[in-house]
Amino acid sequence: VPQFFYLFHDRIQDELAKKPALVRRLFRAMQVLNRHLMKHIHLNMGKRLFGKIHAPFGNRMRLFVSGASSFDPKVAQDFHDFGFTILQGYGLTETSGGCSLTRIEDNVIGSVGKALPNVQIRIDAPDEAGVGEVLIRGPIVMEGYYKNPEATAEAIRDGWLYSGDLGRMDARGNLFITGRAKEVIVLPNGKNIYPDELEAHYLQSPYIQEIAVVGIANPVGHETSERLHAVVVPDFEVLKVKKIANAREILRDEIGRLSNQLPKYKRLMSYQVQKEPLPRTTTRKIKRLDLKRLIESGELAGMDAAASPATIKPEDRRLMESAVGQEVLSGLREHYRRDKQIDLGMNLELDLGFDSMERVELLASLEQALNLQLPEDFGTDIYTVRDLILRLEELAGVSSVGGASERQSWKSILSEEALSGEEDGRVHFSGSLLSLFKWCALRFFYYTLFRTFLRLEVRGREQMPKEAPYLICPNHLSYIDPFLVMSVLPFRIFRRVFFVGYSEYFENWFMRIFARLTNTVPVDPDAHLLRAMKVGAYGLRNRRILCIFPEGGRSFDGELQEFKKGAAILAREIGASMIPVGILGAHEVWARDSKRIRPHKVRIVFGAPLWPSESENSDPYQEDTRRLRKTVEQLTGQPATN
């Protein structure tokens, strides 16, 4: 099945990503070279050029045959370029197995091939794109359904089997399957969407184990059409290897990245994440109609029900009754108000609703309650309540457990006393002379490039406070955002600004020097979120200015994304204000996942300082985050002026 090849393809891509850029370019060039050699002179150099990829399959492997579900053409093309022959077949139970197959000498990527000997295939009532129902005739077609003449008469007419599958044929008779007739999704603009095609596209992400795309009822005026919705199952094994604890956040980025590669009408409008496998038939096909019914009725959320006491395994009962287990469960119920019955298999994020910030609070509280010193990256491979108890028991031992203590809050975590011993939280700032040189260089770019080619317009800068500490909080559209913002700041502010950057971007020697020059502290927010927060707090407590992008990453489509609570937590606990900043036009200059840089008008609008609210809301951080996002939304929605 295609998933077999996807596993190998993901491993190849992971290994390739670790190589230097020059090696990756050479690898791609070798792929293109072998593709042209096979196409024009029928010479396959795959085993010589990609010997390490061929080795695990053995030296005598001649070909593969794939079936059962659609095969992503991009993956198929990669394997073809590596020198593998992967044939694709198509058939049904009603056709006694296969009815078409690609040929070794004519392997058309993306097709399931031509009809087998003595078999006829045609397309019924094709639309303007040539897509219609696939009809099959020949000795391989069944006589009928057992003791069901009505179903037989519906499926077989004039000797043709109506397969229920949609497809098209090229001029040479190659069949391309696009989906199931009863599963096609009709959008408000009349476009037909084939779920299999979209699922194959989104499954390119190594973090997605399963995905089902369905059309959800979407009332438009007096009519009801469908919108694209997906149910996503994360690959927790990959997340664990990559040390990513927050499945929702990485999936948001991955789905946004892959959606950006599709026409707008094919992009997902919404999705939900679950940890259970998707419901499938005995032939591994997704029960799409059942899934659609469960989503629209709101029943899908009920699939995560906790185990009843009678079904709890003895080992789980031991964990729940242990000293560590009791401390964890009481913390979840009493401090974090998770009042539902807690099962050890519950996912902290997907079932219990812990976001990345709450996870840090929870672990800090348990560290204090159990009198432990947790490793800095503790929690990156913990997904369930069971994982948490087992890991804490490994570190503590039952006899080491201390007494109950107060919940650790961000107020105590980021207090001056807590930060006093944090040597790795120091922010190294450039001296006055170097800061002046950098400021002059950026002002040069401001006048020669930004104002000339980007027609950069700045408004509201006079509202920035004269005294630090405070946070500058812009929306994030492009790599150039930090340079644009810094280029318009007066020197008295410029010299006091620092950043907390994603460590992945600062791994080579050049970028490490760049980080030092730009007052950037590289931290991995997935594995070391607590350290990232402490670095920000340390700088602010020393009367510096933190420039932080509350979205946590660049926008895929130029639209404002969800804001994270980090800025609001720092502002409230340090006693600092947040300066909302709206950036417009930078996405058109240099969009995410694009290599093109184009001139386009850019505008930066600074808003008035926002102080932490005095709201009695149960989650004041969330309230302040909501206010910040709403203000930035208003700033980016202001009409442009010349």
Side-chain angles (χ1 to χ4, degrees):
V1 295
Q3 193 65 33
F4 170 84
F5 300 98
Y6 296 165
L7 291 171
F8 281 99
H9 190 261
D10 289 344
R11 179 68 61 84
I12 293 167
Q13 297 305 313
D14 285 345
E15 291 299 317
L16 183 61
K18 298 175 185 177
K19 305 297 183 184
L22 182 61
V23 174
R24 295 198 299 271
R25 291 194 193 99
L26 179 60
F27 185 89
R28 301 299 183 200
M30 288 161 57
Q31 280 187 258
V32 174
L33 172 63
N34 198 44
R35 185 188 312 164
H36 286 291
L37 289 175
M38 287 190 288
K39 180 178 180 180
H40 297 295
I41 62 176
H42 305 291
L43 175 63
N44 186 350
M45 295 288 290
K47 287 187 179 181
R48 292 185 179 275
L49 295 175
F50 304 101
K52 288 186 178 180
I53 296 176
H54 280 260
F57 297 101
N59 294 324
R60 290 167 44 175
M61 184 64 68
R62 191 164 63 90
L63 58 86
F64 293 98
V65 181
S66 175
S69 62
S70 60
F71 200 121
D72 183 356
K74 293 180 180 178
V75 177
Q77 185 65 61
D78 276 350
F79 274 104
H80 176 77
D81 296 344
F82 298 152
F84 290 97
T85 300
I86 301 179
L87 307 183
Q88 291 189 60
Y90 165 71
L92 303 89
T93 303
E94 291 87 343
T95 63
S96 313
C99 62
S100 75
L101 186 71
T102 51
R103 309 307 204 254
I104 294 175
E105 67 280 359
D106 185 24
N107 191 6
V108 179
I109 303 295
S111 168
V112 293
K114 299 174 182 176
L116 293 176
N118 301 318
V119 176
Q120 292 176 277
I121 298 177
R122 71 179 176 88
I123 304 299
D124 183 53
D127 61 15
E128 65 277 4
V131 175
E133 187 171 0
V134 177
L135 274 54
I136 306 159
R137 184 166 68 178
I140 65 170
V141 173
M142 67 174 183
E143 290 187 8
Y145 294 108
Y146 183 64
K147 292 185 179 181
N148 195 340
E150 294 82 8
T152 300
E154 179 66 24
I156 301 177
R157 296 171 238 164
D158 298 326
W160 289 95
L161 172 68
Y162 283 68
S163 68
D165 289 321
L166 295 174
R168 61 180 178 84
M169 296 184 77
D170 66 14
R172 295 189 295 152
N174 291 298
L175 177 63
F176 296 79
I177 300 296
T178 56
R180 293 285 293 170
K182 61 184 178 182
E183 294 176 350
V184 66
I185 302 169
V186 182
L187 300 180
N189 59 8
K191 297 280 189 181
N192 289 342
I193 299 295
Y194 306 105
D196 285 352
E197 175 189 356
L198 289 186
E199 287 161 4
H201 177 73
Y202 285 103
L203 279 171
Q204 292 179 83
S205 169
Y207 305 109
I208 298 177
Q209 185 172 33
E210 293 185 282
I211 183 171
V213 176
V214 294
I216 300 300
N218 185 40
V220 180
H222 297 290
E223 300 180 359
T224 299
S225 59
E226 293 184 318
R227 61 181 172 85
L228 296 180
H229 180 86
V231 180
V232 182
V233 180
D235 192 323
F236 289 106
E237 290 303 316
V238 173
L239 292 170
K240 190 173 291 187
V241 169
K242 300 276 189 180
K243 293 190 174 182
I244 298 172
N246 305 302
R248 290 189 190 278
E249 293 181 13
I250 191 67
L251 288 177
R252 181 199 67 182
D253 288 347
E254 286 291 285
I255 289 172
R257 175 179 67 83
L258 291 165
S259 293
N260 219 30
Q261 300 170 8
L262 295 170
K264 285 191 175 181
Y265 72 90
K266 286 188 175 182
R267 298 175 185 176
L268 293 177
M269 298 294 291
S270 58
Y271 66 91
Q272 62 193 82
V273 182
Q274 70 174 42
K275 68 179 191 296
E276 284 75 17
L278 296 174
R280 293 180 182 270
T281 65
T282 54
T283 56
R284 301 297 299 154
K285 288 184 170 57
I286 296 170
K287 294 181 179 178
R288 210 179 302 276
L289 296 180
D290 289 349
L291 206 56
K292 173 182 169 71
R293 177 183 57 78
L294 288 169
I295 295 168
E296 291 183 335
S297 65
E299 296 177 50
L300 191 61
M303 295 173 70
D304 291 339
S308 64
T311 64
I312 296 176
K313 297 177 182 178
E315 172 60 18
D316 284 355
R317 188 177 297 279
R318 185 199 70 76
L319 288 175
M320 296 174 77
E321 293 175 354
S322 69
V324 172
Q326 289 292 305
E327 189 66 50
V328 170
L329 294 175
S330 67
L332 292 175
R333 293 191 187 104
E334 296 169 19
H335 294 319
Y336 292 94
R337 299 291 183 264
R338 271 36 177 203
D339 298 324
K340 64 172 75 174
Q341 182 181 340
I342 297 175
D343 172 57
L344 296 194
M346 282 184 164
N347 187 286
L348 292 173
E349 179 186 18
L350 304 183
D351 294 325
L352 297 178
F354 278 84
D355 61 24
S356 54
M357 295 298 178
E358 282 184 314
R359 281 174 66 102
V360 171
E361 279 189 277
L362 172 65
L363 295 178
S365 294
L366 291 171
E367 181 178 44
Q368 185 180 47
L370 300 174
N371 193 26
L372 296 173
Q373 182 67 43
L374 299 182
E376 190 179 55
D377 61 351
F378 185 86
T380 57
D381 58 351
I382 289 173
Y383 298 96
T384 65
V385 178
R386 182 185 294 105
D387 293 340
L388 179 58
I389 296 174
L390 285 172
R391 285 297 307 279
L392 288 172
E393 280 195 342
E394 286 176 14
L395 291 171
V398 176
S399 60
S400 303
V401 177
S405 61
E406 293 184 4
R407 169 185 172 181
Q408 279 279 81
S409 65
W410 283 110
K411 188 177 188 65
S412 57
I413 293 171
L414 302 179
S415 66
E416 285 194 69
E417 295 76 18
L419 295 175
S420 60
E422 293 288 331
E423 291 299 323
D424 61 352
R426 304 295 191 266
V427 184
H428 301 283
F429 285 85
S430 304
S432 298
L433 190 59
L434 181 57
S435 295
L436 181 61
F437 173 80
K438 292 187 297 183
W439 182 75
C440 290
L442 263 183
R443 294 301 287 175
F444 172 78
F445 284 117
Y446 170 76
Y447 285 108
T448 58
L449 293 178
F450 300 158
R451 288 194 60 174
T452 304
F453 295 102
L454 308 183
R455 293 171 289 155
L456 180 59
E457 173 192 331
V458 186
R459 291 164 48 186
R461 189 170 41 189
E462 68 282 354
Q463 300 185 81
M464 298 188 72
K466 292 184 171 58
E467 297 295 328
Y470 54 86
L471 298 91
I472 300 174
C473 304
N475 59 311
H476 205 359
L477 300 174
S478 172
Y479 274 133
I480 63 172
D481 293 342
F483 302 98
L484 292 172
V485 172
M486 293 296 286
S487 73
V488 303
L489 298 179
F491 181 68
R492 62 179 174 80
I493 295 176
F494 176 93
R495 67 190 300 266
R496 303 184 72 83
V497 174
F498 72 101
F499 298 84
V500 179
Y502 192 17
S503 57
E504 183 180 284
Y505 299 127
F506 300 95
E507 292 181 343
N508 60 52
W509 65 270
F510 176 79
M511 291 306 295
R512 285 196 292 271
I513 294 174
F514 180 80
R516 190 68 176 256
L517 288 173
T518 55
N519 300 340
T520 300
V521 182
V523 178
D524 182 350
D526 293 316
H528 304 134
L529 175 60
L530 181 57
R531 179 172 178 247
M533 293 293 287
K534 287 184 175 181
V535 167
Y538 184 87
L540 290 168
R541 287 199 179 280
N542 283 273
R543 310 195 66 77
R544 302 293 186 174
I545 301 166
L546 173 61
C547 185
I548 184 172
F549 295 95
E551 292 164 288
R554 289 162 291 141
S555 172
F556 288 95
D557 55 7
E559 299 296 323
L560 211 58
Q561 302 178 94
E562 178 186 353
F563 275 28
K564 298 182 180 180
K565 294 191 286 189
I569 292 172
L570 288 169
R572 179 172 288 272
E573 302 310 337
I574 305 300
S577 63
M578 299 179 289
I579 311 301
V581 182
I583 303 177
L584 298 89
H587 180 264
E588 285 73 16
V589 176
W590 191 0
R592 183 167 181 165
D593 296 332
S594 173
K595 297 179 180 179
R596 295 181 59 189
I597 300 177
R598 296 169 291 187
H600 191 278
K601 181 175 178 58
V602 175
R603 186 167 76 254
I604 301 177
V605 185
F606 291 85
L610 287 177
W611 288 91
S613 66
E614 298 179 1
S615 170
E616 298 298 324
N617 192 305
S618 60
D619 189 350
Y621 305 134
Q622 189 62 48
E623 173 64 21
D624 292 343
T625 302
R626 186 195 64 78
R627 290 170 55 229
L628 175 63
R629 188 184 187 282
K630 185 175 181 180
T631 305
V632 172
E633 186 177 5
Q634 292 170 345
L635 295 175
T636 55
Q638 292 181 6
T641 58
N642 295 322

